[in-house]
Amino acid sequence: MPRTELFRTTIFRSAALASAIFGVTTLGILAVVYWQIEHFQLRHIDLALRNEVAVGQRVSPALIREVIANRYAPDINRPSAAGLFDPQLHQLAGTVLRFPAELRMNGKTQQVKAQINSPNSHGVVHVRAIATRLSDGRVLVFCRDAFELVQLRQVMLGAMALGVLPSLLAGLAVGALASRRTLQRLGGMSQTIERIIGGDLHERLEVASSSDPFDQLASAVNHMLEELERLMEEIRTAGDAMAHDLRTPLARIRAQLEGARTRATNLAQLAEAVDQAISELDGSFSMITALLRIAQFDGAAGLASFTSVQLAELSAEAMELYEPIAEARGINLISEVPRRLACEGDRDLLFEVVMNLLDNAIKFSPDGGIVRITGGADGTAPWLCVQDQGPGIPEEERRLVLRRFHRGENARGLPGLGLGLSLVGAILRLHGFDLEMEDAQPGLRIRLRCWPKEVAEKPGESAPALAAR
Amino acid sequence: MIDAAQEMADPTLRPRAMQRDRVLLVEDDPTIAAEIAAELAARGYVASHFDDGLAGLNAALSGNFDLLIIDRMLPGKDGLAVISEMRAQGCRIPVLVMSALASVDERVRGLKAGGDDYLTKPFALTELAARVEALLRRPADTRETVLRVGSLTLDLIDRLAFRDGRAIELLPREFKLLEYMMQRAGQVVTRAMLLEDVWHYRFVPQTNLVDVHMGKLRRKVDAPGEAPMIKAVWGTGFVLSATD
């Protein structure tokens, strides 16, 4: 892999960052240590200087010159240098050869440059100095070379270089190694993914035995690929079914029109053929609309804006709509839905579901029969039930209907239930709701279970045990 | 030319009075445009056709038209953009939006952009014609509390209906239905219009719901022996008119 990529990975950057932080911290610690020691040393020096000043001030003016000259002769053992100056600041005695220009005579220690004659320091050096004016106007200066401090500083710098730099490099090296391993792993993964994209959906990512993030990711991706494979298989079969459902009416239209063209002998017959064709086309368009809506619902999980839907209201509206039809056939519509029964959902879509169920119930109900809508709740999950006294659906077929319904297959071959049930299925999948069918003896009872969002895992996966049944 | 026989068969084919309504059609599909133009002409409207959004917008802003029928997918300028622009410029003519996009969201978008009605393709030409007529003859916002059509009276406050002094018992929905028909007296009302405006139901159910409800209403309004005021128009819908 290219060199630059090695240094662009997150892991390398993290390692570099960690090393940098560690390095900076260590440097910081060492700096603090140095600073403390320097401070301590300076205080020590300053204290010594102030003592010497105090001592010097106690010596009688007559003797001071001698004391300075003798006690502060150039001596390798004596850390301090001293100087006695006349009021005009000419040197009278001592190892401080010239009065340091910046030195103020305020009895406080300062850092200045001074010219000193001593074995330890020659020429102009940085010293810690203190000056005081004696009672006769002469000036006494004491200095101490910060030699030890300079040495300390060098030791510290050495330690820093010796300690911090290698560890920094080690950190970067580890980062680079880890980065390389990551890139190798990723490289392997992307190659596999390329093959999958190329069309080989059976491929899976390699999962090593460790449970590091890569393996977790690989497992998740494999799971996703399995789902994808399953869905594509479903789409393939659904696609075949859909193609059949769409082509059949169009084939019919073509046959009818062609037949009419060949065999019609008058305008009326042609007009009839045209009318039939229009009618079939309208049917096809309804199917296309329904299929598009179903596709839209299946893809819109989570996007629908749900509100609280009053189920009693919904069933009352549906019943009101079907009242005349029921009345015309002597069918009794009864609603026993508790007043406060509510669920979370899209009101218009759920209304469509109830309409569909009621439509079927009335369609299959015998004249003079009863169609009953009831409602209740199992814990937090409300349910709505539509019951008719019609011929019902045999158990095996019920299972078939529900299986297809749960898988979202088109409702071809579902006698009399048409595309309506597929649409109902899509709407219910969107909500995470379920449909159950029971033998009402006689008749059919369809129960709509409105699982609240926390119970339904995700739209498309039914909650308790239904697809299995 | 419209002859008497045709007029009797289809009450919507009324010759227009002095001033003919001018309809602007903006549709890029030549086949559909030709069919719509022919239908409009047959019904006595003066139709002008443009197949480009920008040209359509300019035409609309010219102020020479009473109604706009516009497709959404257009070259030059998108249909909804044309409508928004029109409205922004103060043009208030009624707009009928046509589109293959059928979802509720798309319909809402169309109406929000400034459209007054929304038809999804494919639609029956009679449906289009009925809606065009409805838009051109929109019931005025009157403060009338009593509607009168011929011998039919509807009291909107007391919720009572009478025909020639005979009280008519109506359920709430039937009352709304009758009110809707009376507000559009003389115009053909399609099943789709009724489902949308009276029942607020977008997707047409398979069963003949509207017919059954309308049948019940007709039996109540048109008692045996009385001249029928509510008539079915084959292939289109229903119309309520005074029996003169």
Side-chain angles (χ1 to χ4, degrees):
Chain A
M1 62 222 87
R3 271 293 168 82
T4 50
E5 233 180 69
L6 195 72
F7 300 123
R8 280 215 301 258
T9 62
T10 313
I11 200 167
F12 179 79
R13 288 192 188 156
S14 307
L17 187 67
S19 296
I21 291 175
F22 171 72
V24 166
T25 314
T26 312
L27 282 172
I29 293 173
L30 289 175
V32 166
V33 166
Y34 168 73
W35 176 65
Q36 290 286 57
I37 293 179
E38 185 194 58
H39 183 70
F40 173 75
Q41 288 279 48
L42 278 178
R43 273 187 35 173
H44 183 71
I45 289 172
D46 288 356
L47 200 65
L49 286 175
R50 280 202 289 275
N51 279 342
E52 286 176 291
V53 162
V55 165
Q57 278 176 331
R58 280 202 292 274
V59 173
S60 72
L63 295 171
I64 189 75
R65 190 169 174 166
E66 240 184 86
V67 168
I68 294 292
N70 294 334
R71 275 185 72 184
Y72 289 89
D75 183 347
I76 200 161
N77 289 321
R78 189 163 289 284
S80 296
L84 184 65
F85 298 85
D86 70 9
Q88 283 77 42
L89 298 181
H90 297 121
Q91 204 237 24
L92 299 175
T95 41
V96 182
L97 301 175
R98 247 204 286 277
F99 187 81
E102 311 108 56
L103 190 56
R104 287 196 297 259
M105 288 172 269
N106 53 7
K108 289 209 190 0
T109 53
Q110 298 142 59
Q111 190 101 356
V112 297
K113 284 209 284 273
Q115 190 150 33
I116 298 189
N117 176 27
S118 101
N120 293 333
S121 37
H122 270 286
V124 179
V125 289
H126 283 276
V127 295
R128 201 83 184 149
I130 189 169
T132 183
R133 209 180 263 281
L134 295 174
S135 43
D136 57 4
R138 286 183 289 184
V139 178
L140 201 56
V141 171
F142 291 96
C143 327
R144 222 177 249 223
D145 194 344
F147 178 68
E148 281 159 352
L149 282 175
V150 170
Q151 276 186 316
L152 179 65
R153 191 173 293 175
Q154 281 171 346
V155 166
M156 280 319 240
L157 283 172
M160 288 180 190
L162 213 64
V164 171
L165 220 59
S167 71
L168 251 164
L169 288 171
L172 290 175
V174 166
L177 264 156
S179 162
R180 192 164 135 235
R181 203 181 91 92
T182 306
L183 284 175
Q184 277 175 336
R185 199 73 201 276
L186 279 178
M189 275 188 173
S190 30
Q191 274 176 5
T192 313
I193 290 176
E194 286 295 325
R195 284 197 293 275
I196 293 170
I197 291 174
D200 193 354
L201 266 180
H202 297 303
E203 283 256 12
R204 296 288 179 266
L205 294 179
E206 202 183 291
V207 178
S209 50
S210 69
S211 56
D212 69 354
F214 277 113
D215 283 335
Q216 287 173 5
L217 184 67
S219 295
V221 171
N222 284 343
H223 184 72
M224 183 184 78
L225 288 170
E226 267 158 30
E227 262 300 297
L228 210 67
E229 225 187 321
R230 186 186 69 79
L231 284 173
M232 292 204 66
E233 190 55 44
E234 269 189 27
I235 287 175
R236 209 199 318 270
T237 40
D240 294 340
M242 221 185 286
H244 177 274
D245 288 342
L246 287 176
R247 295 181 91 111
T248 306
L250 293 177
R252 249 185 268 146
I253 293 168
R254 201 188 189 297
Q256 284 168 350
L257 287 175
E258 209 182 332
R261 184 84 176 69
T262 328
R263 290 187 300 271
T265 50
N266 60 35
L267 207 63
Q269 284 175 351
L270 273 178
E272 196 190 316
V274 168
D275 286 335
Q276 272 179 338
I278 291 178
S279 173
E280 288 275 0
L281 276 174
D282 285 340
S284 285
F285 283 125
S286 301
M287 190 179 308
I288 291 175
T289 306
L291 288 173
L292 284 174
R293 289 182 75 205
I294 291 172
Q296 207 178 27
F297 292 149
D298 277 338
L303 296 180
S305 52
F306 287 176
T307 55
S308 177
V309 178
Q310 296 295 324
L311 292 171
E313 224 177 79
L314 217 65
S315 65
E317 256 184 61
M319 286 199 20
E320 190 239 328
L321 212 61
Y322 277 92
E323 185 62 53
I325 297 179
E327 198 181 51
R329 288 176 43 205
I331 296 172
N332 209 354
L333 288 179
I334 300 176
S335 170
E336 287 160 356
V337 182
R339 200 161 270 281
R340 292 215 178 282
L341 202 63
C343 71
E344 280 287 307
D346 182 312
R347 195 187 193 282
D348 288 339
L349 295 180
L350 288 179
F351 185 64
E352 226 178 307
V353 168
V354 175
M355 284 270 290
N356 257 286
L357 297 180
L358 193 56
D359 195 86
N360 280 327
I362 291 176
K363 191 152 50 183
F364 288 112
S365 169
D367 290 356
I370 300 175
V371 167
R372 199 188 298 266
I373 303 184
T374 49
D378 271 342
T380 52
W383 52 262
L384 206 66
C385 207
V386 179
Q387 181 175 333
D388 65 66
Q389 294 172 325
I393 302 180
E395 178 158 353
E396 190 48 53
E397 249 186 82
R398 286 210 300 270
R399 268 208 283 263
L400 200 72
V401 167
L402 284 175
R403 215 172 52 219
R404 277 196 174 155
F405 155 85
H406 282 295
R407 284 203 196 142
E409 279 185 26
N410 292 320
R412 44 187 282 272
L414 294 176
L417 296 171
L419 208 58
L421 203 64
S422 300
L423 205 58
V424 164
I427 294 174
L428 293 187
R429 274 197 298 280
L430 181 70
H431 286 72
F433 292 174
D434 274 324
L435 213 65
E436 291 168 6
M437 289 188 186
E438 293 158 23
D439 194 342
Q441 282 163 346
L444 183 70
R445 191 182 301 131
I446 297 189
R447 193 184 300 266
L448 170 65
R449 286 206 186 268
C450 312
W451 303 110
K453 270 287 184 231
E454 315 84 63
V455 177
E457 286 176 339
K458 66 177 191 282
E461 266 184 26
S462 47
L466 270 131
R469 263 203 264 136
Chain B
M1 275 296 110
I2 318 272
D3 64 34
Q6 272 183 296
E7 192 192 321
M8 276 193 327
D10 186 346
T12 60
L13 289 179
R14 292 194 302 278
R16 298 269 149 265
M18 265 73 59
Q19 190 184 32
R20 302 207 287 171
D21 292 301
R22 303 154 301 172
V23 176
L24 173 61
L25 172 65
V26 187
E27 162 67 71
D28 65 327
D29 183 289
T31 314
I32 295 179
E35 291 301 327
I36 294 177
E39 183 73 20
L40 291 173
R43 290 176 185 270
Y45 301 107
V46 177
S48 303
H49 168 234
F50 292 89
D51 59 5
D52 176 88
L54 277 172
L57 178 61
N58 288 330
L61 292 174
S62 69
N64 294 331
F65 296 98
D66 304 303
L67 181 130
L68 167 66
I69 302 176
I70 186 163
D71 187 29
R72 272 183 72 165
M73 308 289 194
L74 290 170
K77 203 176 178 77
D78 168 69
L80 292 191
V82 170
I83 302 170
S84 307
E85 185 65 33
M86 249 178 70
R87 295 300 188 217
Q89 304 267 19
C91 184
R92 299 257 161 270
I93 60 173
V95 174
L96 179 68
V97 186
M98 301 187 293
S99 174
L101 301 171
S103 74
V104 177
D105 295 336
E106 294 297 340
R107 188 197 159 84
V108 168
R109 281 184 67 198
L111 297 178
K112 268 203 172 132
D116 296 283
D117 201 352
Y118 193 101
L119 263 186
T120 34
K121 294 178 179 176
F123 48 78
L125 287 168
T126 49
E127 183 81 41
L128 179 79
R131 286 170 189 257
V132 163
E133 185 73 0
L135 284 175
L136 285 170
R137 308 273 169 267
R138 269 191 285 209
D141 250 337
T142 58
R143 297 260 165 252
E144 282 294 320
T145 56
V146 179
L147 295 176
R148 267 176 252 272
V149 178
S151 47
L152 200 54
T153 324
L154 201 67
D155 187 332
L156 300 175
I157 305 288
D158 292 333
R159 312 305 274 179
L160 295 169
F162 295 94
R163 182 168 175 180
D164 269 333
R166 169 177 66 90
I168 307 178
E169 285 271 331
L170 293 173
L171 295 171
R173 188 75 68 182
E174 291 167 341
F175 190 93
K176 275 205 202 108
L177 193 52
L178 188 58
E179 185 183 350
Y180 188 82
M181 299 293 292
M182 287 180 77
Q183 282 170 338
R184 289 160 185 74
Q187 294 172 34
V188 177
V189 167
T190 64
R191 289 171 183 81
M193 286 164 72
L194 288 170
L195 280 167
E196 282 169 30
D197 297 333
V198 178
W199 278 282
H200 308 295
Y201 192 62
R202 294 275 162 261
F203 288 96
V204 187
Q206 304 288 60
T207 43
N208 56 343
L209 276 176
V210 179
D211 290 71
V212 177
H213 280 265
M214 191 59 85
K216 245 185 118 177
L217 184 66
R218 287 171 80 181
R219 280 192 292 280
K220 291 190 175 180
V221 168
D222 297 328
E226 288 174 338
M229 290 182 73
I230 300 178
K231 297 197 192 75
V233 178
W234 187 86
T236 312
F238 304 93
V239 61
L240 182 150
S241 47
T243 53
D244 293 314

